[in-house]
């Protein structure tokens, strides 16, 4: 259902509460915080269920319009360190909508074929079709994050990518896609807990990668890379939202609201019938 402003636990629009600004300092983010939200886990979890239903109604309208020639779509870009909760975000937020309306892509270490192409090649192929919600679990931002931290290409190469990414996103937006960029931040301690859990539970071994532990030593370098990403690619056409993610229930309900906001801005209506309804009723009655 649409928001009931009177009873909403949100004290300000989530787009305002979470929008990155020129003063955003990655090192200073309170990863336990719940910006703009006055309520506990129980309320947040319950609200996500309600709002998930509303999100799916909006998505169905987007899909219906897409089938009727509307070019628009929404692309959710999820960035965050290992265990930040990107996969859970897809299951618990995007999981509310009809899977046929979702174009999902995750980006890992590039394949040999991908490495033979420009880094935006695999991204371009995965962009959402008209009427779809696209989700990127990691994205082209890896090419200025892990690539920068590990010197996988020379500095002069990765440093040119920020402007190139801004330009690339400009074109995507001009083609009718709203981009929702979400940077999820957990603390080093919280990551340790989550990795420890993966080692305690056989059903989570598959998510564990021994290199995740080595990456922890590079935390400051990653923070620097995330800072540069926010500083250089927080554009008007594709702004960043900074999500404290130690509390999973908060990050999920917050991103749910960001998606609802993006879809509401389309002011979607059901597409008009492409046939004469009265004529069809008569034909059906006689059939
Ligand atoms: P996961 O999300 O746990 O499946 O891990 C995917 C891994 O792929 C992460 O360690 C990323 O840093 C890595 N990765 C993603 N994109 C790139 C890239 N362009 N170059 C190198 N590594 C990447
Ligand atoms: Mg991983």
């Amino acid at each position: 259902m649409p928001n009931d402003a009177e009873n909403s636990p949100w004290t300000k629009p989530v787009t305002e509460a979470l929008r990155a600004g020129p003063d955003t300092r990655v090192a200073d983010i309170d990863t336990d915080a719940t910006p703009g939200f006055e309520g506990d886990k129980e309320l947040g979890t319950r609200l996500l269920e309600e709002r998930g239903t509303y999100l799916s109604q909006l998505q169905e309208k987007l899909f219906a319009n897409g089938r009727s020639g509307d070019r628009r779509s929404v692309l959710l870009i999820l960035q965050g360190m290992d265990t930040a909760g990107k996969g859970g975000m897809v299951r618990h937020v995007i999981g509310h909508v009809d899977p046929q309306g979702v174009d999902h892509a995750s980006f890992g270490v590039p394949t040999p074929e991908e490495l033979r192409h420009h880094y935006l090649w695999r991204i371009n192929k995965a962009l959402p079709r008209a009427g779809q919600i696209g989700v990127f679990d990691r994205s082209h931002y890896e090419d200025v994050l892990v690539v920068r931290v590990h010197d996988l290409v020379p500095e002069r190469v990765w440093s040119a990518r920020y402007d190139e990414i801004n330009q690339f996103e400009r074109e995507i937006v001009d083609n009718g896609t709203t981009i929702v960029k979400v940077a999820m931040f957990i603390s080093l301690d919280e990551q340790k807990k989550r990795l420890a859990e993966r080692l305690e539970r056989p059903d989570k071994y598959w998510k564990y990668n021994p290199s995740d532990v080595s990456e922890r030593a590079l935390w400051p370098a990653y923070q620097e890379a995330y800072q540069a990403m926010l500083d250089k690619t927080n554009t008007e056409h594709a702004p960043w939202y900074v999500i404290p993610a130690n509390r999973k229930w908060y990050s999920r309900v917050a991103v749910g609201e960001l998606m609802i906001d993006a879809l509401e801005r389309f002011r979607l209506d059901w597409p008009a019938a492409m046939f004469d309804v009265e004529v069809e009723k008569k034909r059906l009655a006689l059939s």
Side-chain angles (χ1 to χ4, degrees), residues 82-83 190-200 207-209 212-213 216:
D82 258 298
T83 76
E190 180 66 23
Q191 191 194 50
K192 194 171 201 169
K193 276 190 216 149
R194 293 183 187 183
L195 288 173
E197 196 180 330
R198 290 182 181 181
L199 289 173
E200 286 305 323
K207 289 192 194 182
Y208 186 83
N209 185 337
D212 297 345
V213 172
R216 287 171 57 74

Side-chain angles (χ1 to χ4, degrees), residues 82 86 107-110 122 137-138 142-143 146-147 152:
D82 258 298
K86 301 182 291 296
F107 297 98
V109 178
R122 63 177 183 166
D137 178 340
R138 304 187 189 269
E142 292 294 323
D143 293 281
V146 64
V147 168
L152 299 180

Side-chain angles (χ1 to χ4, degrees), residues 9-75:
W10 288 103
T11 56
K12 56 164 96 165
V14 72
T15 46
E16 258 173 55
L18 297 174
R19 175 83 150 87
D23 300 330
T24 303
R25 286 288 151 260
V26 168
D28 298 339
I29 294 168
D30 177 358
T31 51
D32 281 318
T34 61
F37 191 88
E38 267 179 10
D40 59 6
K41 177 176 180 174
E42 197 198 320
L43 181 60
T45 310
R46 186 150 37 89
L47 189 66
L48 176 59
E49 291 313 303
E50 267 176 47
R51 299 294 281 165
T53 304
Y54 179 51
L55 177 64
S56 85
Q57 290 163 359
L58 291 169
Q59 178 275 331
E60 193 181 350
K61 276 190 181 157
L62 179 70
F63 188 83
N65 281 282
R67 285 297 165 97
S68 307
D70 192 324
R71 305 264 328 265
R72 292 176 295 179
S73 60
V74 177
L75 172 60

Side-chain angles (χ1 to χ4, degrees), residues 107-175:
F107 297 98
V109 178
T111 63
E113 188 190 17
E114 286 170 348
L115 280 176
R116 282 196 298 275
H117 290 87
H118 188 269
Y119 70 101
L120 293 174
W121 178 74
R122 63 177 183 166
I123 306 297
N124 207 32
K125 283 199 304 172
L127 292 173
R129 294 164 290 169
Q132 297 288 109
I133 290 183
V135 184
F136 284 179
D137 178 340
R138 304 187 189 269
S139 66
H140 42 293
Y141 286 101
E142 292 294 323
D143 293 281
V144 290
L145 292 168
V146 64
V147 168
R148 168 177 168 148
V149 168
H150 285 276
D151 295 313
L152 299 180
V153 298
E155 174 165 358
R156 70 180 158 73
V157 175
W158 59 251
S159 65
R161 289 180 174 172
Y162 301 98
D163 285 346
E164 190 173 38
I165 287 172
N166 289 338
Q167 182 55 36
F168 175 66
E169 291 181 348
R170 171 87 257 171
E171 285 162 26
I172 294 169
V173 170
D174 287 347
N175 282 323

Side-chain angles (χ1 to χ4, degrees), residues 212-232:
D212 297 345
V213 172
S214 335
E215 291 297 277
R216 287 171 57 74
L218 298 169
W219 195 266
Y222 272 104
Q223 286 206 315
E224 211 177 283
Y226 269 91
Q227 184 70 54
M229 175 191 87
L230 293 180
D231 289 343
K232 293 173 195 285

